[in-house]
Amino acid sequence: MKKYIFIAVFCFAAVFIISSNFAFATASGPKLFKKYYCIDCHTLGHEGGTVGPDLSYIGKTKSLSWIKAQIFHPSSHFIIGTKTEINGKVYLIRMPGFKTIPNSVANKLAEYIKTFPSIRANLSYKRPPKGMRLFEKDNCIACHRIDGVGGKVGPNLSHVGKTKSLSWIEAQIVDPKVHFRYGVPTTVNGHTYLVIMPEFKHISASQLNTIARYLKSLK
Ligand code: HEC
Ligand code: HEC
Protein backbone atom coordinates (compact mmCIF):
# COMPACT_ATOMS: atom_id res chain seq x y z
CA MET A 1 0.00 0.00 0.00
CA LYS A 2 2.80 2.39 0.99
CA LYS A 3 4.46 1.65 -2.30
CA TYR A 4 1.38 2.76 -4.25
CA ILE A 5 1.08 5.99 -2.33
CA PHE A 6 4.71 6.69 -3.03
CA ILE A 7 4.23 6.05 -6.75
CA ALA A 8 1.09 8.20 -6.83
CA VAL A 9 2.89 11.10 -5.12
CA PHE A 10 5.82 10.71 -7.44
CA CYS A 11 3.59 10.77 -10.54
CA PHE A 12 1.70 13.78 -9.25
CA ALA A 13 4.95 15.64 -8.59
CA ALA A 14 6.28 14.75 -12.04
CA VAL A 15 3.12 15.93 -13.78
CA PHE A 16 3.11 19.13 -11.74
CA ILE A 17 6.74 19.93 -12.56
CA ILE A 18 6.30 19.24 -16.25
CA SER A 19 3.07 21.22 -16.61
CA SER A 20 4.31 24.13 -14.51
CA ASN A 21 7.28 24.43 -16.81
CA PHE A 22 4.93 24.92 -19.70
CA ALA A 23 2.37 27.05 -17.95
CA PHE A 24 4.28 29.36 -15.61
CA ALA A 25 7.82 29.78 -16.86
CA THR A 26 7.80 32.95 -18.95
CA ALA A 27 8.88 32.18 -22.49
CA SER A 28 11.40 34.35 -24.33
CA GLY A 29 10.31 37.44 -26.28
CA PRO A 30 10.42 35.78 -29.70
CA LYS A 31 8.39 32.81 -28.39
CA LEU A 32 5.75 35.09 -26.86
CA PHE A 33 5.51 37.03 -30.10
CA LYS A 34 4.54 33.75 -31.78
CA LYS A 35 2.46 32.33 -28.94
CA TYR A 36 0.06 35.29 -28.91
CA TYR A 37 -0.23 35.41 -32.72
CA CYS A 38 1.43 38.83 -32.97
CA ILE A 39 3.60 37.28 -35.68
CA ASP A 40 0.57 36.41 -37.83
CA CYS A 41 -0.15 40.10 -38.38
CA HIS A 42 3.17 41.86 -37.70
CA THR A 43 6.64 41.64 -39.12
CA LEU A 44 9.37 42.04 -36.53
CA GLY A 45 12.92 41.86 -37.81
CA HIS A 46 12.88 39.46 -40.71
CA GLU A 47 9.70 37.46 -40.38
CA GLY A 48 6.01 37.88 -39.84
CA GLY A 49 2.72 38.85 -41.44
CA THR A 50 1.67 42.04 -43.20
CA VAL A 51 -1.88 42.56 -41.93
CA GLY A 52 -0.70 44.96 -39.23
CA PRO A 53 2.14 47.50 -39.44
CA ASP A 54 5.79 46.38 -39.54
CA LEU A 55 7.10 46.68 -35.98
CA SER A 56 10.79 46.36 -36.80
CA TYR A 57 11.50 50.05 -36.11
CA ILE A 58 8.89 50.79 -33.47
CA GLY A 59 11.40 51.09 -30.63
CA LYS A 60 12.61 54.34 -32.21
CA THR A 61 9.32 56.19 -31.88
CA LYS A 62 7.24 54.52 -29.17
CA SER A 63 7.86 54.15 -25.44
CA LEU A 64 7.72 50.92 -23.50
CA SER A 65 4.48 51.91 -21.78
CA TRP A 66 2.89 52.90 -25.10
CA ILE A 67 3.70 49.45 -26.53
CA LYS A 68 2.33 47.75 -23.45
CA ALA A 69 -0.89 49.76 -23.62
CA GLN A 70 -1.21 48.78 -27.29
CA ILE A 71 -1.21 45.09 -26.34
CA PHE A 72 -4.11 45.51 -23.88
CA HIS A 73 -6.12 48.36 -25.41
CA PRO A 74 -5.30 49.07 -29.07
CA SER A 75 -8.50 51.10 -29.38
CA SER A 76 -7.10 53.74 -27.05
CA HIS A 77 -4.47 54.52 -29.73
CA PHE A 78 -6.37 53.66 -32.90
CA ILE A 79 -9.98 54.67 -32.74
CA ILE A 80 -11.28 53.52 -36.09
CA GLY A 81 -8.66 50.98 -37.12
CA THR A 82 -6.12 51.20 -39.93
CA LYS A 83 -6.66 50.94 -43.68
CA THR A 84 -4.84 47.90 -45.01
CA GLU A 85 -4.68 46.52 -48.53
CA ILE A 86 -5.05 42.74 -48.80
CA ASN A 87 -5.15 41.11 -52.25
CA GLY A 88 -5.97 44.43 -53.89
CA LYS A 89 -8.88 45.29 -51.57
CA VAL A 90 -8.73 47.88 -48.82
CA TYR A 91 -10.07 46.91 -45.39
CA LEU A 92 -10.31 48.77 -42.10
CA ILE A 93 -8.46 46.47 -39.73
CA ARG A 94 -8.35 46.76 -35.97
CA MET A 95 -5.90 45.00 -33.77
CA PRO A 96 -7.66 42.78 -31.24
CA GLY A 97 -6.98 43.67 -27.58
CA PHE A 98 -5.12 40.99 -25.62
CA LYS A 99 -6.72 41.63 -22.24
CA THR A 100 -6.04 38.15 -20.89
CA ILE A 101 -2.27 38.27 -21.26
CA PRO A 102 -0.78 38.38 -17.74
CA ASN A 103 0.85 41.67 -16.82
CA SER A 104 4.35 40.21 -16.43
CA VAL A 105 4.10 38.53 -19.83
CA ALA A 106 2.96 41.76 -21.48
CA ASN A 107 5.96 43.52 -19.92
CA LYS A 108 8.34 40.96 -21.34
CA LEU A 109 6.73 41.12 -24.77
CA ALA A 110 6.80 44.93 -24.81
CA GLU A 111 10.45 44.98 -23.70
CA TYR A 112 11.35 42.61 -26.49
CA ILE A 113 9.55 44.69 -29.13
CA LYS A 114 11.15 47.87 -27.74
CA THR A 115 14.62 46.42 -28.53
CA PHE A 116 13.87 46.84 -32.25
CA PRO A 117 15.52 47.97 -34.46
CA SER A 118 18.27 46.00 -32.72
CA ILE A 119 21.81 45.36 -33.82
CA ARG A 120 21.28 41.74 -32.88
CA ALA A 121 18.33 41.41 -35.24
CA ASN A 122 20.27 42.95 -38.08
CA LEU A 123 23.22 40.65 -37.50
CA SER A 124 20.99 37.60 -37.57
CA TYR A 125 20.49 38.22 -41.30
CA LYS A 126 23.23 36.13 -42.85
CA ARG A 127 24.95 37.39 -45.96
CA PRO A 128 24.76 34.60 -48.56
CA PRO A 129 28.04 32.74 -49.11
CA LYS A 130 30.29 34.09 -51.88
CA GLY A 131 29.81 30.96 -54.00
CA MET A 132 26.07 31.53 -53.98
CA ARG A 133 26.49 35.13 -55.08
CA LEU A 134 28.76 34.06 -57.95
CA PHE A 135 26.23 31.39 -58.89
CA GLU A 136 23.77 34.23 -59.45
CA LYS A 137 26.22 36.67 -60.97
CA ASP A 138 27.56 34.17 -63.53
CA ASN A 139 23.98 33.29 -64.45
CA CYS A 140 24.16 29.64 -63.50
CA ILE A 141 20.84 30.40 -61.81
CA ALA A 142 19.22 31.04 -65.19
CA CYS A 143 19.32 27.30 -65.88
CA HIS A 144 19.75 25.66 -62.47
CA ARG A 145 17.56 25.58 -59.39
CA ILE A 146 18.86 25.47 -55.85
CA ASP A 147 16.23 25.03 -53.14
CA GLY A 148 13.44 26.00 -55.48
CA VAL A 149 15.04 29.16 -56.88
CA GLY A 150 16.30 29.34 -60.46
CA GLY A 151 15.67 28.02 -63.99
CA LYS A 152 14.67 24.58 -65.17
CA VAL A 153 16.74 24.11 -68.33
CA GLY A 154 19.56 22.40 -66.44
CA PRO A 155 19.32 19.87 -63.60
CA ASN A 156 18.35 20.81 -60.05
CA LEU A 157 21.59 21.32 -58.10
CA SER A 158 20.16 21.39 -54.56
CA HIS A 159 21.95 18.13 -53.66
CA VAL A 160 24.71 17.96 -56.24
CA GLY A 161 27.43 17.79 -53.55
CA LYS A 162 26.09 14.43 -52.40
CA THR A 163 27.08 12.56 -55.53
CA LYS A 164 29.70 14.67 -57.32
CA SER A 165 33.28 15.44 -56.29
CA LEU A 166 34.82 18.91 -56.21
CA SER A 167 37.01 18.22 -59.24
CA TRP A 168 34.06 16.76 -61.16
CA ILE A 169 32.08 19.94 -60.57
CA GLU A 170 35.01 22.15 -61.61
CA ALA A 171 35.42 20.15 -64.82
CA GLN A 172 31.69 20.46 -65.53
CA ILE A 173 31.84 24.24 -65.33
CA VAL A 174 34.87 24.66 -67.57
CA ASP A 175 34.14 21.91 -70.10
CA PRO A 176 30.72 20.20 -69.77
CA LYS A 177 31.33 18.09 -72.91
CA VAL A 178 33.78 15.94 -70.95
CA HIS A 179 30.81 14.62 -69.00
CA PHE A 180 27.89 15.08 -71.37
CA ARG A 181 29.09 14.67 -74.92
CA TYR A 182 25.69 15.06 -76.60
CA GLY A 183 23.88 17.06 -74.01
CA VAL A 184 20.87 16.07 -71.95
CA PRO A 185 17.32 15.76 -73.34
CA THR A 186 15.34 18.58 -71.77
CA THR A 187 11.70 19.52 -72.26
CA VAL A 188 11.12 23.24 -72.63
CA ASN A 189 7.57 24.45 -73.36
CA GLY A 190 6.51 20.99 -74.50
CA HIS A 191 9.42 20.47 -76.94
CA THR A 192 12.35 18.24 -76.10
CA TYR A 193 15.82 19.54 -76.95
CA LEU A 194 19.29 18.17 -76.44
CA VAL A 195 20.78 20.83 -74.23
CA ILE A 196 24.49 21.20 -73.61
CA MET A 197 25.60 23.44 -70.83
CA PRO A 198 27.70 26.39 -72.08
CA GLU A 199 31.42 26.27 -71.24
CA PHE A 200 32.59 28.82 -68.70
CA LYS A 201 36.17 29.04 -69.93
CA HIS A 202 36.60 32.72 -69.07
CA ILE A 203 36.05 32.13 -65.38
CA SER A 204 39.04 32.82 -63.09
CA ALA A 205 40.59 29.93 -61.16
CA SER A 206 39.59 31.34 -57.78
CA GLN A 207 36.05 32.07 -58.91
CA LEU A 208 35.76 28.56 -60.31
CA ASN A 209 36.93 27.08 -57.05
CA THR A 210 34.56 29.24 -54.97
CA ILE A 211 31.50 28.23 -56.99
CA ALA A 212 32.52 24.57 -57.05
CA ARG A 213 33.13 24.49 -53.29
CA TYR A 214 29.72 26.08 -52.73
CA LEU A 215 28.02 23.44 -54.91
CA LYS A 216 30.00 20.67 -53.22
CA SER A 217 28.59 21.89 -49.87
CA LEU A 218 25.01 21.27 -51.06
CA LYS A 219 24.20 17.84 -49.69
C1 HEC B 1 -5.22 40.25 -36.31
C2 HEC B 1 -4.02 41.00 -36.55
C3 HEC B 1 -3.19 41.50 -35.37
C4 HEC B 1 -2.69 40.77 -34.32
C5 HEC B 1 -2.87 39.29 -34.04
C6 HEC B 1 -1.86 41.67 -33.56
N1 HEC B 1 -1.90 42.93 -34.10
FE1 HEC B 1 -0.85 44.57 -33.46
N2 HEC B 1 -1.76 45.69 -34.89
C7 HEC B 1 -2.66 45.23 -35.84
C8 HEC B 1 -3.19 46.37 -36.60
C9 HEC B 1 -4.18 46.30 -37.73
C10 HEC B 1 -2.55 47.53 -36.07
C11 HEC B 1 -2.77 48.97 -36.51
C12 HEC B 1 -3.52 49.70 -35.42
C13 HEC B 1 -5.01 49.43 -35.40
O1 HEC B 1 -5.70 49.83 -36.31
O2 HEC B 1 -5.52 48.80 -34.44
C14 HEC B 1 -1.64 47.06 -35.02
C15 HEC B 1 -0.78 47.89 -34.30
C16 HEC B 1 0.17 47.45 -33.39
C17 HEC B 1 1.19 48.27 -32.80
C18 HEC B 1 1.43 49.75 -33.09
C19 HEC B 1 2.18 49.86 -34.41
C20 HEC B 1 2.46 51.28 -34.85
O3 HEC B 1 3.27 51.43 -35.78
O4 HEC B 1 1.87 52.22 -34.32
C21 HEC B 1 1.90 47.48 -31.92
C22 HEC B 1 3.08 47.87 -31.05
C23 HEC B 1 1.31 46.16 -31.99
N3 HEC B 1 0.26 46.18 -32.90
C24 HEC B 1 1.75 45.07 -31.24
C25 HEC B 1 1.13 43.81 -31.26
C26 HEC B 1 1.47 42.71 -30.37
C27 HEC B 1 2.56 42.76 -29.31
C28 HEC B 1 0.66 41.66 -30.70
C29 HEC B 1 0.59 40.30 -30.04
C30 HEC B 1 0.26 40.30 -28.63
C31 HEC B 1 -0.19 42.11 -31.80
N4 HEC B 1 0.12 43.40 -32.10
C32 HEC B 1 -1.14 41.30 -32.42
C33 HEC B 1 -3.02 43.92 -36.06
C34 HEC B 1 -2.71 42.86 -35.21
C1 HEC C 1 22.15 27.61 -70.57
C2 HEC C 1 21.89 26.79 -69.41
C3 HEC C 1 22.98 26.52 -68.38
C4 HEC C 1 23.77 27.44 -67.72
C5 HEC C 1 23.82 28.95 -67.90
C6 HEC C 1 24.56 26.67 -66.78
N1 HEC C 1 24.25 25.34 -66.86
FE1 HEC C 1 25.00 23.83 -65.70
N2 HEC C 1 23.97 22.47 -66.79
C7 HEC C 1 23.10 22.76 -67.85
C8 HEC C 1 22.63 21.51 -68.44
C9 HEC C 1 21.68 21.38 -69.62
C10 HEC C 1 23.25 20.47 -67.72
C11 HEC C 1 23.12 18.95 -67.99
C12 HEC C 1 24.45 18.42 -68.50
C13 HEC C 1 24.85 18.97 -69.83
O1 HEC C 1 24.08 18.89 -70.79
O2 HEC C 1 25.95 19.56 -69.93
C14 HEC C 1 24.06 21.11 -66.68
C15 HEC C 1 24.79 20.40 -65.72
C16 HEC C 1 25.45 20.99 -64.64
C17 HEC C 1 26.04 20.26 -63.54
C18 HEC C 1 25.99 18.75 -63.33
C19 HEC C 1 24.70 18.40 -62.63
C20 HEC C 1 24.48 16.91 -62.47
O3 HEC C 1 23.82 16.57 -61.48
O4 HEC C 1 24.90 16.15 -63.32
C21 HEC C 1 26.63 21.19 -62.74
C22 HEC C 1 27.37 20.93 -61.41
C23 HEC C 1 26.41 22.50 -63.32
N3 HEC C 1 25.67 22.34 -64.47
C24 HEC C 1 26.87 23.70 -62.81
C25 HEC C 1 26.73 24.93 -63.45
C26 HEC C 1 27.35 26.16 -62.99
C27 HEC C 1 28.21 26.29 -61.76
C28 HEC C 1 26.98 27.15 -63.87
C29 HEC C 1 27.42 28.62 -63.86
C30 HEC C 1 28.83 28.85 -63.89
C31 HEC C 1 26.10 26.53 -64.86
N4 HEC C 1 25.97 25.20 -64.57
C32 HEC C 1 25.48 27.22 -65.90
C33 HEC C 1 22.71 24.01 -68.26
C34 HEC C 1 23.29 25.21 -67.84
Side-chain angles (χ1 to χ4, degrees), residues 135 138-140 143-144 153-155 157 160 164 168-169 172-173 176 180 183-184 195-198 200 211 215:
F135 189 79
D138 288 334
N139 247 343
C140 318
C143 296
H144 293 287
V153 174
L157 299 182
V160 70
K164 302 294 195 291
W168 191 99
I169 296 173
Q172 172 69 22
I173 297 172
F180 302 93
V184 170
V195 180
I196 298 189
M197 173 164 146
F200 287 80
I211 297 190
L215 293 180

Side-chain angles (χ1 to χ4, degrees), residues 33 36-38 41-42 51-53 55 58 62 66-67 70-71 74 78 81-82 93-96 98 101 109 113:
F33 198 72
Y36 292 107
Y37 310 107
C38 319
C41 295
H42 294 288
V51 174
L55 302 181
I58 189 133
K62 299 292 195 292
W66 191 98
I67 296 174
Q70 174 72 21
I71 296 174
F78 301 92
T82 299
I93 297 194
R94 306 188 68 164
M95 171 162 154
F98 291 82
I101 293 185
L109 193 49
I113 293 170

